[in-house]
Amino acid sequence: MTDKHKNKMQKLKEKVDAGIAAADQERGVMIVLTGDGKGKSSSAFGMVIRALGYHYKVGVVQFIKGEQLSGEELYLRDQCPEVDFYQMGTGFTWNTQDREGDIEAAQATWAVAKKMLTDDRYHLVVLDELTYMLSFNYLDESEVLTTLKNRPANQSVVVTGRGGGSALQEIADTVSEIREVKHAYRAGIQARRGVDF
Amino acid sequence: MTDKHKNKMQKLKEKVDAGIAAADQERGVMIVLTGDGKGKSSSAFGMVIRALGYHYKVGVVQFIKGEQLSGEELYLRDQCPEVDFYQMGTGFTWNTQDREGDIEAAQATWAVAKKMLTDDRYHLVVLDELTYMLSFNYLDESEVLTTLKNRPANQSVVVTGRGGGSALQEIADTVSEIREVKHAYRAGIQARRGVDF
């Protein structure tokens, strides 16, 4: 029994070690977190925590969100001097119902993101809900993709949101699709402060 | 064109508002983040950021991990006095290859988690990689499930890891499956400090 366990674990260890040995490139990565389930933005903020653990400089740009105060905004903006935090601040587009105003806000927000994406002092840049700006055609896709591709080699970038098109996923190193298996909301449970926002 | 956009956004707003109105229960939630893709643990740490934004008390227990220093450990343990951070610290089970020792470590770690899960001062408790303890039968499933179900009503809990069995998902309010679409690692890119760990 113990030998069986040992053998099994030894094989698993060899597999894991071989994978580690095969990965020999070291550079910043581009990660896309998409899908309809809960956990896309929060996953990006978790990577912010990892970067802060090593005292790296971090940029966070939130597209869309802004009407409802959120825990990440309160924390990253007010309690993290190492994080440059910027929020579009016009609320969800289905609330504003003003296409011209939304495009203007998206482009001003993109200008902030673009500065970070050309500044190698940022180890990690989070572009939260950027995908919607592409899906709604509020930003020029080819400009966004070119800027992402040409970012500093050591910089990692995380893009979150549903959709966003296949070209975005093609240039990414890592793509995770967060699939909703079930959601509290559908069972009538309110979004929870300090968990959902 | 503008009217068409307005109508579309108005319909979307009605749908979103109806969903919000239907969610009338307010209580802590149990979230399971599973699947083979990148983003499970980082998503849990992102929720920690949200809770910290509101100055809530948070508990984080990491099962399995411990050999490699991680950004979340450095940050949550050393820079976040509001977070009670505990790590099993025996490394991955395929490294230790010692079933009896692993079971002992898992049970000692579970004792720490259980204390948090019976203490209503914790607004959020993260049980990172708990699922493996269930899959390997290092912990008694029914005790774990009962403790999770009986936790304080206002406490939210996030469980991460692949597998873990269907009973765990059944008692959860929200389950997200993080599916790997692609991963940098498979293209030979090393895990990145301040992003992956």
Side-chain angles (χ1 to χ4, degrees):
Chain A
M1 178 65 191
T2 303
D3 277 357
K4 203 177 149 198
H5 176 76
K6 252 194 135 152
N7 279 340
K8 198 173 144 194
M9 290 300 139
Q10 179 61 33
K11 273 192 191 137
L12 187 51
K13 178 173 159 54
E14 279 160 19
K15 201 178 148 195
V16 171
D17 288 349
I20 292 170
D24 57 0
Q25 280 184 66
E26 210 183 337
R27 61 166 173 82
V29 288
M30 176 177 158
I31 299 170
V32 172
L33 301 167
T34 189
D36 62 355
K38 179 187 168 41
K40 298 180 287 295
S41 297
S42 54
S43 182
F45 301 132
M47 295 179 220
V48 171
I49 276 200
R50 289 187 174 142
L52 292 179
Y54 296 104
H55 302 282
Y56 289 136
K57 189 173 171 67
V58 175
V60 175
V61 179
Q62 288 195 299
F63 291 86
I64 295 196
K65 272 185 185 158
E67 285 210 323
Q68 184 181 46
L69 200 61
S70 69
E72 70 265 22
E73 177 183 353
L74 286 168
Y75 189 73
L76 296 174
R77 194 191 58 196
D78 300 341
Q79 297 183 53
C80 286
E82 317 89 316
V83 176
D84 288 330
F85 183 86
Y86 186 87
Q87 213 177 43
M88 195 155 94
T90 48
F92 287 98
T93 192
W94 49 87
N95 282 325
T96 64
Q97 299 173 31
D98 166 11
R99 186 167 159 84
E100 294 315 309
D102 284 346
I103 290 176
E104 226 168 90
Q107 288 179 349
T109 308
W110 170 247
V112 175
K114 199 171 171 178
K115 259 195 171 164
M116 293 174 177
L117 294 168
T118 50
D119 182 345
D120 69 3
R121 291 172 304 164
Y122 290 95
H123 183 269
L124 176 66
V125 176
V126 172
L127 304 174
D128 190 30
E129 317 216 52
L130 173 68
T131 56
Y132 304 101
M133 304 299 104
L134 297 171
S135 305
F136 294 157
N137 288 313
Y138 287 180
L139 297 176
D140 179 62
E141 186 185 42
S142 79
E143 197 208 321
V144 170
L145 298 184
T146 304
T147 307
L148 287 169
K149 275 193 281 192
N150 294 338
R151 73 186 193 283
N154 284 318
Q155 185 180 88
S156 293
V157 60
V158 184
V159 174
T160 77
R162 302 185 194 192
S166 58
L168 185 74
Q169 299 199 8
E170 271 159 36
I171 65 162
D173 301 295
T174 295
V175 178
S176 291
E177 186 203 340
I178 288 130
R179 202 172 65 78
E180 178 183 307
V181 178
K182 64 175 165 174
H183 199 297
Y185 187 70
R186 300 197 191 285
I189 301 162
Q190 285 182 16
R192 189 83 179 143
R193 203 163 86 155
V195 177
D196 291 306
F197 63 90
Chain B
M1 179 65 192
T2 304
D3 277 357
K4 205 178 150 197
H5 177 77
K6 252 193 133 155
N7 277 340
K8 199 173 144 195
M9 290 300 140
Q10 179 61 33
K11 274 193 190 137
L12 187 52
K13 178 172 159 58
E14 279 161 17
K15 202 178 147 194
V16 171
D17 289 349
I20 291 168
D24 57 0
Q25 279 184 67
E26 208 181 338
R27 61 165 174 83
V29 288
M30 177 177 157
I31 298 169
V32 172
L33 301 166
T34 189
D36 62 356
K38 177 186 169 41
K40 298 181 287 294
S41 297
S42 54
S43 183
F45 301 132
M47 294 181 221
V48 171
I49 275 200
R50 288 186 175 144
L52 292 178
Y54 297 105
H55 302 281
Y56 290 135
K57 190 174 171 66
V58 175
V60 175
V61 178
Q62 288 196 299
F63 291 85
I64 296 197
K65 273 186 183 155
E67 284 210 324
Q68 183 182 46
L69 200 62
S70 69
E72 70 263 21
E73 177 182 355
L74 286 169
Y75 190 73
L76 297 174
R77 193 192 59 195
D78 299 341
Q79 298 183 52
C80 286
E82 316 89 316
V83 175
D84 288 331
F85 184 86
Y86 186 87
Q87 212 175 44
M88 197 156 92
T90 49
F92 287 98
T93 192
W94 49 88
N95 282 324
T96 63
Q97 299 174 30
D98 165 12
R99 188 169 157 83
E100 294 315 309
D102 284 346
I103 289 175
E104 227 168 88
Q107 287 178 348
T109 308
W110 170 247
V112 176
K114 199 172 171 178
K115 258 194 172 165
M116 292 174 177
L117 293 168
T118 49
D119 182 344
D120 68 4
R121 289 172 305 164
Y122 290 95
H123 183 268
L124 176 66
V125 176
V126 172
L127 305 174
D128 191 29
E129 317 218 51
L130 172 68
T131 56
Y132 304 101
M133 304 298 104
L134 297 171
S135 305
F136 294 157
N137 288 314
Y138 288 179
L139 297 177
D140 180 62
E141 187 185 41
S142 79
E143 196 207 324
V144 170
L145 297 184
T146 304
T147 307
L148 287 169
K149 275 194 281 194
N150 294 338
R151 72 186 193 284
N154 284 319
Q155 186 181 88
S156 293
V157 59
V158 184
V159 175
T160 77
R162 301 183 194 195
S166 58
L168 185 74
Q169 298 200 8
E170 271 160 33
I171 65 162
D173 301 295
T174 295
V175 178
S176 290
E177 186 203 340
I178 287 129
R179 200 173 66 78
E180 178 183 307
V181 178
K182 63 175 165 176
H183 200 296
Y185 187 69
R186 300 198 192 285
I189 300 162
Q190 284 181 16
R192 189 86 181 139
R193 202 164 87 156
V195 177
D196 291 305
F197 63 89

